[in-house]
Structures are given as structure tokens and as C-alpha cells.
Amino acid sequence: INILQAYHIHYDPCPILVVQPTVDDAKGYSKDEIQPMLRDIPVLRNLVSSAKSRDSNNTIEKKNFPGGNLTLVGANSARGFRRLSVRIVLFDEVNGYPPSAGQEGDQIQLGITRTETFWNRKIVIGSTPTVEPSRISDSYNESDGGVYLVPCPHCDHYHELEFKNLKWDDGLPNTARFMCPECGSLIDHKHKVDMVTKGFWQGSTWSYRDGKFTFDDNFSGHIGFKIWAAYSYSPNSSWSELVKVFLAVKDNPDTLKTYVNTVLGEDWKELE
């Protein structure tokens, strides 16, 4: 979401709307992420004046730049969606949105309505999952959903890293390895960076590989992406660390729910 804003501020200016769960979230996001980005990226630095400038017409929630503007609103405020016409609308952490924006209904539909005059509009919906069913899962399931495929270092078969294929010796998280679903070989963690570097996105009607999209004739125009911590280069997301945390939380539904949402990137399914 940040990169998309930076691209359009610098290269393809247009009106942009970012929707955070609450007004306070929108203000915090602006202060903690947008303002440092505008300050630290040289090509953006002189395009948006500081909200603290005496002669600035920019605020924490509204920023103007040559050819466009950036508006940040909270999904809990119906007023934030009024009097707007935008080409890009970015819905962040949609599973944290309240059920309605005041008395005016669904925030995603309100935001999409703000883009209806643009033939080249772009609508992005993103979130950490929560409880099934959820806004983000519904949107992903409606898309030509994509997953990230990586090659097995033993047989070169491209496959998705799935938790069910993460194997370890009983009680020994340091033995964690992924099993290739094609050849059955166990893949050591040392191969992860190389595998992810060689990987690509694959949807039901599209793929993104070597910096290029390809589409088939059934493409719907709605692309979905999902990914989880096993792909991350973070030292706290090593495969052994993921297993270690899982073993620590698996017997408590509350802690396991957090693991499913934030590590596996999946909605929690409540038992009936």
C-alpha cells in the first residue's frame, strides 16, 4: 500500500484514498508510515510539503501534490467518504472495520463508489485474517486467487509452502523442514532464500513471473494474493521458530487463534 502511494505521487499522480479501521488509525498511519516515507525518499521529499509548514495546505489526513492528492480516513466515519472523487482507493486491515460507517452502510462499497468516474481506477483490499467468514477472505475467494510458488531444490517442482507439509521430529523444532509434495524430499531451511528468490505468483487465470503478468482468456480483472510467515526472511520466521511457537500455543484456543491469523495468514474457524 505504501509503495503504491509512492508510485502515484511520483510517477502517475492522481487522487488517492486510504481507508484505515478508525480515524485514530488513519492519523497514526499517516504519522508513523506516510510522513517518514515522504521525508526519506528523495524523489518524494519536495512533492508534498510538511503538515507543520506555516504555509502548507497539507494536514495529517490530507496531503496535496502536483497532479493529485492523498486522503486518509477512518472506516468508522461516514463523513470521511463524502465529497470525494478518487482514482485509487486502498482499504487497509478491512477485518478491523466496524460493521458500518455510521448509518451509511458498508465502507468498502462507499469507497468503491468514490472511484466510479475513473475508467482506470484501482481498488486494493488488504488485511490480516480474523474469524471466518471475513471481509478479506470473501474478497480473496471472489478473486482469481494467487499463491506464491517456490521450486524444490531436489526435483525443481514448483509448489506452495503449506503448513501441513512442515515436518519435524517429535518435540524438536530445530529439525523443521518442508516436505516437497511432488518427490517427498525434505527441504532444509538453508534453501529458503534461494527458493523464494526463484519463486513466482500463480493465480487461477494469471501469473506474475520475472516482472511480467500473463493472463488467460478467463481473467476476471480481480487478482488476489495470500502469503504467510514461512516465506519471510525475518530471523523470527525461520521454519524452526515457526514450529517452536506452534508447539507453545497449540493447546490454548486463544493463543492458537492468534497463530492461525498472524503466522499462517488464515481465518480462524470457530467450532460449532
Side-chain angles (χ1 to χ4, degrees):
I1 286 179
N2 294 357
I3 292 170
L4 184 61
Q5 292 172 70
Y7 171 84
H8 282 286
I9 291 171
H10 175 229
Y11 191 77
D12 185 15
C14 64
I16 305 166
L17 172 66
V18 177
V19 185
Q20 294 287 339
T22 68
V23 173
D24 286 342
D25 288 328
K27 292 179 179 178
Y29 171 73
S30 178
K31 292 176 182 178
D32 297 339
E33 298 196 39
I34 299 305
Q35 290 181 189
M37 179 182 75
L38 297 174
R39 178 195 67 209
D40 296 338
I41 297 178
V43 295
L44 302 181
R45 192 172 297 146
N46 296 321
L47 295 178
V48 182
S49 60
S50 170
K52 295 181 180 180
S53 299
R54 180 177 299 178
D55 60 346
S56 174
N57 61 352
N58 292 312
T59 67
I60 293 173
E61 297 163 82
K62 182 68 176 285
K63 301 184 183 301
N64 295 287
F65 49 88
N69 55 74
L70 170 64
T71 303
L72 300 102
V73 303
N76 61 339
S77 172
R79 186 177 64 179
F81 294 91
R82 296 174 186 159
R83 297 185 298 104
L84 291 175
S85 180
V86 298
R87 179 178 148 203
I88 311 293
V89 59
L90 309 172
F91 300 98
D92 194 18
E93 293 296 349
V94 296
N95 280 9
Y97 288 8
S100 175
Q103 301 297 315
E104 300 194 18
D106 181 76
Q107 303 92 338
I108 293 178
Q109 289 305 313
L110 286 172
I112 291 175
T113 300
R114 302 294 91 194
T115 69
E116 63 185 9
T117 59
F118 291 87
W119 68 269
N120 57 346
R121 67 182 181 178
K122 185 179 283 123
I123 299 159
V124 178
I125 300 173
S127 187
T128 302
T130 49
V131 177
E132 186 184 53
S134 72
R135 279 183 165 109
I136 194 61
S137 293
D138 288 347
S139 182
Y140 180 81
N141 292 334
E142 292 166 1
S143 75
D144 297 345
V147 295
Y148 198 78
L149 304 182
V150 296
C152 170
H154 305 291
C155 71
D156 206 37
H157 172 71
Y158 277 81
H159 62 283
E160 178 187 4
L161 294 179
E162 298 183 88
F163 185 76
K164 67 181 181 181
N165 291 328
L166 184 56
K167 309 296 182 182
W168 63 91
D169 296 339
D170 189 30
L172 297 174
N174 288 337
T175 64
R177 292 177 291 178
F178 269 95
M179 184 182 72
C180 173
E182 180 69 14
C183 70
S185 297
L186 293 175
I187 304 169
D188 291 327
H189 182 267
K190 66 182 181 181
H191 296 291
K192 178 166 75 170
V193 172
D194 187 57
M195 293 167 65
V196 173
T197 300
K198 295 177 179 177
F200 67 95
W201 288 100
Q202 181 66 60
S204 59
T205 62
W206 61 274
S207 66
Y208 181 76
R209 191 170 190 173
D210 299 327
K212 296 180 180 179
F213 274 105
T214 58
F215 306 94
D216 69 25
D217 293 338
N218 296 316
F219 176 56
S220 70
H222 184 174
I223 293 177
F225 303 89
K226 68 175 181 178
I227 202 162
W228 65 290
Y231 293 88
S232 173
Y233 295 163
S234 167
N236 295 313
S237 295
S238 66
W239 297 342
S240 60
E241 187 66 20
L242 299 184
V243 172
K244 179 182 178 181
V245 175
F246 172 73
L247 294 176
V249 305
K250 66 182 180 66
D251 296 324
N252 183 326
D254 291 330
T255 55
L256 181 58
K257 177 180 179 180
T258 300
Y259 186 88
V260 169
N261 289 163
T262 62
V263 177
L264 302 186
E266 298 178 1
D267 274 337
W268 175 259
K269 299 176 177 61
E270 299 284 5
L271 297 177
E272 296 182 356

